[in-house]
Each structure stands twice: as structure tokens, then as C-alpha cells.
């Protein structure tokens, strides 16, 4: 285990997620989350425009600009985002890190190599490839995908664990782990990981991972309202301060 100091609440970010734009999922719609920013006096969030096309993203950005938000620390890139969009986010919202899925899964449509050092590859269902990690800043660790692999795909878990100790973990996604398998949001398979939590105990699995697996930017990637996400952050920082 890493001998890090206790994790700090500032490392954990509520997130504006967008699964409800594409799938029938529980939780709050992204526009409602944007409204919550000022209601809750939030100055920093993470952003997952994963299910929004270009026009929808422009609408989201214009709504975000009207809030008192100071920083979108972490952004989950879509493979169709041009370089100008990254530069806008860095300039307007001081974005410090980005993540992508593996290029095998979602090849990037544009050359983003100018920012490769702050782009991190996520373990999102596909096994991480060492060659690809070397091209970017390191790994974006999604803890719920990792835990799902540990339960269902032990060999993939072992292979990824080796890479997690070898390469920088530049950012994190944190979601829930269910007690029993359910169909994923897109209905493609059964899994334990879920982008929505009903009970805070669905984050208890995080206690099994070393402190060194948690970066400076840990986004709560769930469809729950920002208010509920803040409760989750309180719970998580409490169970991880050991």
C-alpha cells in the first residue's frame, strides 16, 4: 500500500454526467445538474459530455458559462472533439486533465498530440494496452470498472493491476458497485458497475484499493444529482481516511 497522507476532500469532484441524454437511466438530467452548480455554490466540477453531440455540447458550454463555476478540472473527451474544444476548456474553465477511452475502442478523429501529456487512457471495459498508455500521460483509473473486472474477469484485472503500479494514474472515475449483477445502461451485458448509486455502501469496495490508486482528480461518475454526489464524497473521504 502507498503511504500517502490521508486523501483530501478537494481530490474528489462532483460531476456533470450525460448518460440520460442517450439512455433511459435513473438520476438527474444534465441540465438539472448545471442548475445545481449555483444552488450549491460549487466552483469546481468534472464534466462528462460523453453522450452529447457537438450542438448539445455547445448548449452545455453556454449554460455553464452563465454559472459561477471557476474550474472544470477533469473532462472526459469524446473521440470527435477537435483541438479547439480542448483549448476552449483549458482557457475558459482551467481544465487540467482529460481522459479518453482506448483508441482501439474509440479512435480519435483529430490530432490532439499537443495535449498528450495531460490526456489519460481509461480502463473502460477494454483491456489497457501498454503501448497506448506510453503515448499519453498515463492511466485514468475507473475504479468501478476495475472492481467489476476483479469479480468477473480476474485475468484482465491482474494484467491491468500490473500497469496501474507501473504508470502514472493522472485522474479517476468513481462509480458504484452493486450487490448483484444487472444489465449495463446500453443493455449489452451484465455487470456489477453502475453509473448510479442508491446506497452509499455501494462505494465500500474502494477501501480495498491502495491510496496510491487515487489521483488528485477523482470524479464521481454517477447520474445522481450533484447534491447526492456531495453526500457520496463525504462518505468516500470518511471511509478512505485510514
Amino acid at each position: 500500500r502507498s503511504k500517502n497522507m490521508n486523501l483530501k476532500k478537494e481530490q474528489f469532484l462532483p460531476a456533470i454526467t450525460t448518460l440520460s441524454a442517450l439512455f433511459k437511466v435513473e438520476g438527474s438530467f444534465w441540465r438539472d445538474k448545471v442548475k445545481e452548480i449555483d444552488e450549491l455554490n460549487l466552483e469546481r466540477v468534472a464534466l462528462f459530455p460523453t453522450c452529447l453531440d457537438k450542438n448539445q455540447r455547445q448548449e452545455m458550454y453556454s449554460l455553464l458559462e452563465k454559472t459561477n463555476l471557476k474550474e472544470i478540472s477533469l473532462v472526459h473527451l469524446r473521440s470527435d472533439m477537435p483541438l479547439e474544444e480542448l483549448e476552449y476548456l483549458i482557457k475558459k474553465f482551467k481544465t487540467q486533465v482529460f481522459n479518453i477511452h482506448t483508441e482501439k475502442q474509440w479512435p480519435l478523429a483529430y490530432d490532439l498530440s499537443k495535449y498528450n501529456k495531460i490526456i489519460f487512457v481509461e480502463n473502460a471495459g477494454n483491456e489497457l494496452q501498454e503501448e497506448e498508455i506510453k503515448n499519453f500521460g498515463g492511466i485514468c483509473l475507473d475504479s468501478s470498472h476495475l472492481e467489476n473486472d476483479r469479480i468477473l474477469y480476474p485475468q484482465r484485472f491482474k494484467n491491468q493491476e500490473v500497469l496501474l503500479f507501473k504508470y502514472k494514474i493522472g485522474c479517476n472515475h468513481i462509480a458504484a458497485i452493486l450487490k448483484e449483477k444487472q444489465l449495463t445502461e446500453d443493455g449489452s451485458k451484465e455487470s456489477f458497475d453502475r453509473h448510479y448509486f442508491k446506497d452509499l455502501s455501494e462505494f465500500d469496495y474502494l477501501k480495498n484499493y491502495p491510496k496510491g490508486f487515487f489521483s488528485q482528480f477523482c470524479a464521481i461518475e454517477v447520474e445522481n444529482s450533484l447534491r447526492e454526489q456531495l453526500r457520496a464524497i463525504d462518505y468516500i473521504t470518511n471511509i478512505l481516511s485510514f
Side-chain angles (χ1 to χ4, degrees), residues 43 66 68 76 94 109 125 130 135 163 167 170 192 205 236:
E43 294 188 346
K66 295 185 178 92
N68 293 316
H76 186 324
K94 303 183 179 68
E130 188 162 14
N135 294 333
L163 297 174
Y167 290 95
F192 287 92
Y205 74 96
I236 290 165

Side-chain angles (χ1 to χ4, degrees), residues 57-72:
R57 297 199 302 275
Q58 293 310 318
E59 180 197 348
M60 176 189 262
Y61 297 148
S62 64
L63 289 173
L64 287 168
E65 283 191 21
K66 295 185 178 92
T67 70
N68 293 316
L69 197 63
K70 289 195 167 57
E71 190 176 300
I72 301 174

Side-chain angles (χ1 to χ4, degrees), residues 14-146:
I16 297 166
T17 53
T18 56
L19 281 178
S20 54
L22 260 193
F23 305 107
K24 285 185 177 171
V25 294
E26 293 178 90
S28 89
F29 198 69
W30 67 261
R31 286 190 196 89
D32 297 321
K33 292 188 182 74
V34 172
K35 283 181 195 154
E36 281 188 281
I37 290 169
D38 285 352
E39 288 167 20
L40 297 167
N41 295 316
L42 292 175
E43 294 188 346
R44 290 174 69 233
V45 298
L47 185 62
F48 289 78
T50 334
C51 296
L52 304 184
D53 64 26
K54 187 180 177 182
N55 291 337
Q56 292 169 314
R57 297 199 302 275
Q58 293 310 318
E59 180 197 348
M60 176 189 262
Y61 297 148
S62 64
L63 289 173
L64 287 168
E65 283 191 21
K66 295 185 178 92
T67 70
N68 293 316
L69 197 63
K70 289 195 167 57
E71 190 176 300
I72 301 174
S73 314
L74 160 64
V75 175
H76 186 324
L77 292 180
R78 278 174 55 107
S79 56
D80 63 356
M81 283 184 173
L83 188 66
E84 298 76 45
E85 201 163 338
L86 277 70
E87 299 193 317
Y88 160 78
L89 289 161
I90 290 167
K91 190 175 176 185
K92 181 71 191 170
F93 293 109
K94 303 183 179 68
T95 302
Q96 290 159 275
V97 289
F98 298 95
N99 80 273
I100 56 169
H101 285 176
T102 66
E103 287 212 81
K104 186 177 176 184
Q105 210 173 359
W106 293 99
L108 292 175
Y110 299 94
D111 178 10
L112 305 179
S113 55
K114 180 179 177 183
Y115 293 112
N116 276 2
K117 285 199 168 95
I118 56 168
I119 297 174
F120 298 87
V121 186
E122 181 190 349
N123 57 313
N126 271 21
E127 189 161 330
L128 289 169
Q129 304 297 321
E130 188 162 14
E131 286 310 306
E132 188 172 355
I133 296 168
K134 286 177 183 173
N135 294 333
F136 294 94
I139 296 169
C140 168
L141 173 57
D142 187 307
S143 54
S144 64
H145 296 333
L146 185 68

Side-chain angles (χ1 to χ4, degrees), residues 1 147 150 204-210 213-214 240 242:
R1 270 180 192 272
E147 179 69 3
R150 188 189 68 76
D204 284 353
Y205 74 96
L206 294 168
K207 291 188 286 194
N208 301 324
Y209 289 102
F213 277 17
F214 296 89
L240 294 181
F242 53 100

